[in-house]
Amino acid sequence: ALAVLRRWGPQVALLGSENAAVAMLSRFVLSFALLFLPCGLMGATLPLLSRFCIESRAVVGARVGLLYGVNTLGAMLGCFAAGYWLLDTLGVSAVNRLAAALSGLVGLVCIGLGARDARRRGRAPGPQVQPKRDTPAAEGTGEGERVRGALLLGVALLSGLGGLACEVLWVRYLLPLSNVAYTFPTVLGMYLLGMGVGSLIYRVLLARARRPAAVLAGVMLLLGPAVAGCFAAGALLSATRLPGPLPLVPMAAITVIL
């Protein structure tokens, strides 16, 4: 992929030398071609883990909260490790090979776990009993349930849209404060840390809440003022004319506060 990028990157720049729209479209097509497959496979890992670990609706909240929290904290560690240490120490090509090797190792472990689970189910005495599933009647297939499901999907869509938009804006706010090579991993790492910790808090405190919709509403209502406060602080930092980029430690401290 890196060889392809080195070969075709200058050609993409030439395509957009006289037309900004062509340049933007060319970069998008090249980025999509390089990143769609690995990112799509990464996105499939959490649903597959959830399917493997969850056998009853009674434990969905707790299990998904735990899986999402651990997965996100792992992503945070990878972000900080790559941004602050691995790329400077090993280089881009070596880090790519290391990531590919780790993915392959995890795949082999999952194959082993799947085979072990299949053998365990095969040795179980008596007829195989499928995990109890809720019937359509129990899940509710009426018009009200469908509308409620559509609304929750809309909330999930808008929440993800707003979250990633905030991340991009925070990077823009903090770019003048530090080296660009460290600004992005710092913001992304803290973003992932907050999401992971929030998932684990849900796992410990709120997974058995009787009114999860009310909990979601409370979280979203608190999120609005929190994001507005971050933007106000970021605007003040952007308006402050600093003599130069901040060292790494003060930059990290400001990012944690925001």
Side-chain angles (χ1 to χ4, degrees):
L2 289 176
V4 173
L5 186 60
R6 293 191 185 100
R7 179 178 179 181
W8 292 101
Q11 305 301 323
V12 172
L14 290 176
L15 286 175
S17 58
E18 298 181 358
N19 191 312
V22 173
M24 183 180 300
L25 179 61
S26 303
R27 294 190 185 99
F28 173 80
V29 171
L30 182 59
S31 300
F32 183 88
L34 289 173
L35 300 177
F36 178 76
L37 180 59
C39 291
L41 293 174
M42 290 178 190
T45 56
L46 188 61
L48 289 172
L49 282 170
S50 301
R51 178 65 181 86
F52 183 77
C53 297
I54 298 172
E55 296 183 350
S56 170
R57 289 188 65 182
V59 297
V60 167
R63 294 281 177 85
V64 171
L66 179 61
L67 285 172
Y68 190 82
V70 172
N71 182 264
T72 307
L73 291 179
M76 179 270 297
L77 292 176
C79 178
F80 281 131
Y84 289 107
W85 175 50
L86 290 175
L87 289 174
D88 292 337
T89 304
L90 303 178
V92 175
S93 297
V95 172
N96 270 287
R97 289 193 292 269
L98 177 61
L102 287 176
S103 297
L105 178 61
V106 172
L108 292 175
V109 171
C110 291
I111 291 174
L113 289 174
R116 180 183 177 186
D117 184 67
R119 289 194 301 270
R120 179 179 60 82
R121 292 177 181 272
R123 290 196 302 264
Q128 296 294 313
V129 179
Q130 295 296 327
K132 184 177 180 181
R133 305 290 180 182
D134 295 311
T135 63
E139 292 179 353
T141 57
E143 185 66 25
E145 286 295 324
R146 286 195 291 269
V147 171
R148 180 173 179 269
L151 288 175
L152 290 176
L153 289 176
V155 169
L157 174 67
L158 294 177
S159 177
L161 186 153
L164 269 296
C166 288
E167 181 189 337
V168 173
L169 290 173
W170 288 328
V171 171
R172 292 290 185 92
Y173 276 138
L174 295 172
L175 273 178
L177 304 181
S178 182
N179 188 320
V180 64
Y182 296 108
T183 300
F184 181 74
T186 301
V187 173
L188 178 59
M190 294 310 304
Y191 181 90
L192 293 170
L193 176 62
M195 293 180 66
V197 171
S199 297
L200 294 179
I201 290 175
Y202 175 84
R203 164 69 174 83
V204 174
L205 300 178
L206 302 173
R208 297 187 179 277
R210 295 184 177 181
R211 299 179 62 190
V215 175
L216 175 62
V219 169
M220 299 304 294
L221 289 174
L222 290 175
L223 187 60
V227 171
C230 289
F231 285 155
L236 290 176
L237 287 173
S238 297
T240 303
R241 297 186 178 275
L242 298 174
L246 292 175
L248 182 59
V249 174
M251 169 64 188
I254 289 175
T255 306
V256 172
I257 293 172
L258 288 179

